[in-house]
């Protein structure tokens, strides 16, 4: 076979080879275009999703930017308002018994808890110093009296001057006064009860040395209290002072007998506010015929207060700062107004508001410390009762 024949036989194979390569290249370009299209489609979808999410997030953020709050309207003041104050029962009359003369206790006749009558003997003192002074005063008086009577006779005879007689008369009267003073001081050796009552304290024993006067609590010989009636002093805050009336009933509660209050009555008030404590002193009388109450007993005195026009709010609506107490009120435009208020009686879960609110005000419950005046809020729908 010749060379031209060989060449003629190889042309179709080369043409087929190039045709195959072109087909592969076209398929590759198509695949690339499809892949790029798919990538572009995926990218577009991702961008669209992100844009939608961003819009939804913006709307959600805008919705949460407005604070949602729960509100309550003020209620009228409670009709059973009470004011309970601590107090201590005291005898209607109490006295510390001191010695008026210095000496020693010869004997004592009454001990703690024993009843005594006015003028009844409590103790006897041995006062030797006073006794000696009384003896000397008696001798001086006798001498002065003798001189006075003698000079009186001489003056009647005009044997002495009027001046000399006046001096003797004055000396006689001074000696008589000193004698009587020391005799009265001797009577102080008998220590007697100043009124009917019981002995609540005895600070002496036989042979004890006592000093005259009231030089301190340890010098007191006895303490006596009249307990048929007791009284107590309560100190009412200025805000409630106007509600206290003489004659009104007061409940006296004891810790050892809960649920069994005893009735007392307001006997008198101080009639003025103490500027140091801003309180009104009130005296309450309590009957104690059976001696069931004891002086010095701690009690709670409860005063009933009249129902007023004040409003009440839950305690968790109040905010406190350097300027005082305030509440957050939602206005008709759904914006916050921080309203100062005057707080009255604290009832525990509720607080009396004396001024600063109207009955139809919408007050935010548990307002955050960061809440600002003029801040827009949304009022939450009230919970439905099941």
């Amino acid at each position: 076979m010749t060379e031209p024949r060989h060449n003629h036989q190889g042309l179709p194979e080369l043409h087929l080879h190039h045709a195959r390569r072109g087909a592969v290249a076209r398929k590759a370009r198509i695949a690339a275009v499809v892949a790029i299209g798919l990538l572009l489609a995926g990218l577009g979808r991702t961008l669209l999703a992100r844009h939608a999410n961003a819009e939804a997030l913006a709307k959600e953020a805008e919705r949460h930017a407005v604070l949602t709050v729960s509100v309550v309207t003020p209620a009228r003041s409670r009709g059973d308002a009470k004011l309970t104050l601590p107090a201590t029962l005291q005898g209607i009359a109490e006295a510390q018994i001191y010695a008026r003369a210095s000496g020693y206790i010869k004997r004592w006749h009454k001990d703690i808890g024993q009843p005594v009558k006015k003028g009844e003997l409590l103790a006897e003192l041995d006062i030797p110093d006073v006794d000696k002074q009384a003896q000397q005063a008696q001798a001086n008086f006798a001498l002065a009296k003798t001189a006075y009577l003698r000079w009186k006779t001489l003056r009647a005879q005009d044997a002495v001057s009027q001046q000399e007689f006046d001096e003797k008369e004055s000396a006689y009267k001074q000696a008589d006064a000193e004698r009587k003073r020391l005799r009265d001081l001797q009577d102080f050796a008998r220590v007697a009860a100043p009124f009917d009552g019981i002995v609540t304290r005895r600070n002496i024993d036989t042979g004890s040395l006592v000093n005259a006067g009231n030089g301190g609590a340890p010098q007191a010989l006895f303490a006596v209290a009249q307990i048929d009636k007791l009284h107590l002093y309560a100190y009412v805050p200025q805000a409630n002072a106007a509600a206290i009336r003489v004659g009104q009933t007061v409940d006296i509660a004891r810790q050892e007998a809960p649920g069994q209050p005893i009735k007392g009555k307001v006997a008198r008030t101080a009639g003025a506010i103490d500027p140091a404590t801003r309180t009104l002193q009130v005296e309450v009388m309590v009957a104690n015929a059976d001696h069931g109450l004891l002086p010095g007993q701690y009690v709670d005195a409860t005063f009933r207060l009249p129902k007023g026009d004040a409003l009440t709010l839950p305690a968790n609506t109040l905010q406190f700062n350097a300027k005082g107490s305030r509440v957050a009120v939602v206005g008709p435009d759904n914006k916050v107004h921080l309203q100062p208020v005057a707080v009255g009686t604290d009832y525990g879960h509720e607080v009396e508001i004396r001024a600063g609110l109207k009955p139809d005000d919408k007050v935010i419950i548990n307002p955050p410390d960061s809440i600002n005046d003029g801040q827009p809020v949304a009022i939450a729908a009230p919970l439905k009762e099941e």
Side-chain angles (χ1 to χ4, degrees), residues 34-364:
V34 172
I36 292 173
L38 292 174
L39 289 175
L40 291 175
L43 179 60
R45 183 179 180 182
T46 302
L47 292 176
L48 290 175
R50 288 184 178 180
H51 180 69
N53 291 338
E55 289 183 351
L57 183 61
K59 290 180 180 180
E60 188 70 13
E62 182 179 356
R63 187 175 67 85
H64 285 287
V66 177
L67 179 65
T68 301
V69 297
S70 298
V71 297
V72 65
T73 55
R76 288 294 179 184
S77 182
R78 299 174 0 173
D80 58 344
K82 298 179 181 179
L83 175 65
T84 301
L85 299 172
T88 301
L89 291 175
Q90 302 177 23
I92 195 66
E94 294 184 355
Q96 304 285 329
I97 311 300
Y98 296 89
R100 291 293 307 275
S102 299
Y104 299 92
I105 299 298
K106 183 185 296 184
R107 63 181 65 88
W108 50 269
H109 300 277
K110 294 293 181 180
D111 208 342
I112 57 173
Q114 292 183 326
V116 294
K117 296 292 184 180
K118 181 178 179 179
E120 190 172 359
L121 189 62
L122 298 177
E124 296 178 70
L125 302 181
D126 184 10
I127 47 175
D129 294 339
V130 176
D131 291 339
K132 290 179 180 179
Q133 293 176 14
Q135 292 174 3
Q136 184 178 356
Q138 181 64 34
N140 293 337
F141 169 74
L143 179 61
K145 182 178 181 181
T146 300
Y148 164 71
L149 294 176
R150 184 177 299 163
W151 282 74
K152 184 178 181 180
T153 303
L154 293 175
R155 178 55 189 159
Q157 300 173 359
D158 202 18
V160 295
S161 65
Q162 183 65 37
Q163 176 67 28
E164 291 174 320
F165 172 72
D166 290 343
E167 290 177 356
K168 296 300 181 180
E169 184 180 18
S170 177
Y172 164 69
K173 291 181 178 179
Q174 290 179 5
D176 187 32
E178 179 65 12
R179 177 180 67 94
K180 291 179 179 178
R181 184 186 73 82
L182 289 171
R183 184 175 295 172
D184 291 341
L185 199 58
Q186 282 181 306
D187 291 340
F188 290 143
R190 295 172 55 85
V191 180
F195 46 76
D196 295 352
I198 63 169
V199 177
T200 59
R201 188 182 308 163
R202 176 178 64 84
N203 297 325
I204 58 171
D205 211 336
T206 303
S208 299
L209 174 64
V210 295
N211 298 320
N214 55 352
Q219 296 293 330
L221 310 185
F222 297 91
V224 178
Q226 187 177 358
I227 63 171
D228 291 338
K229 284 186 178 181
L230 301 178
H231 68 156
L232 60 86
Y233 291 107
Y235 298 88
V236 179
Q238 177 178 331
N240 305 111
I244 304 302
R245 296 286 184 269
V246 174
Q248 77 179 83
T249 302
V250 181
D251 291 333
I252 311 299
R254 299 165 292 167
Q255 292 181 340
E256 57 273 23
Q260 301 177 8
I262 297 172
K263 301 297 182 181
K265 286 190 176 181
V266 176
R268 60 187 60 84
T269 70
I273 300 297
D274 184 356
T277 60
R278 301 300 176 189
T279 57
L280 174 70
Q281 185 179 13
V282 178
E283 183 180 12
V284 178
M285 292 293 183
V286 186
N288 190 36
D290 59 352
H291 295 181
L293 301 175
L294 301 176
Q297 194 170 14
Y298 174 85
V299 295
D300 289 323
T302 300
F303 299 83
R304 295 185 180 274
L305 304 178
K307 182 178 180 180
D309 296 330
L311 304 174
T312 60
L313 278 177
N316 59 353
T317 60
L318 291 174
Q319 285 185 325
F320 300 94
N321 57 17
K323 296 182 180 180
S325 54
R326 63 182 186 178
V327 295
V329 179
V330 180
D333 56 354
N334 282 349
K335 290 186 178 180
V336 175
H337 172 60
L338 299 178
Q339 175 65 36
V341 292
V343 179
T345 305
D346 187 347
Y347 299 116
H349 294 295
E350 295 180 348
V351 178
E352 184 182 30
I353 305 298
R354 294 187 174 274
L357 280 184
K358 299 188 295 297
D360 57 348
D361 283 337
K362 297 178 180 178
V363 183
I364 297 176

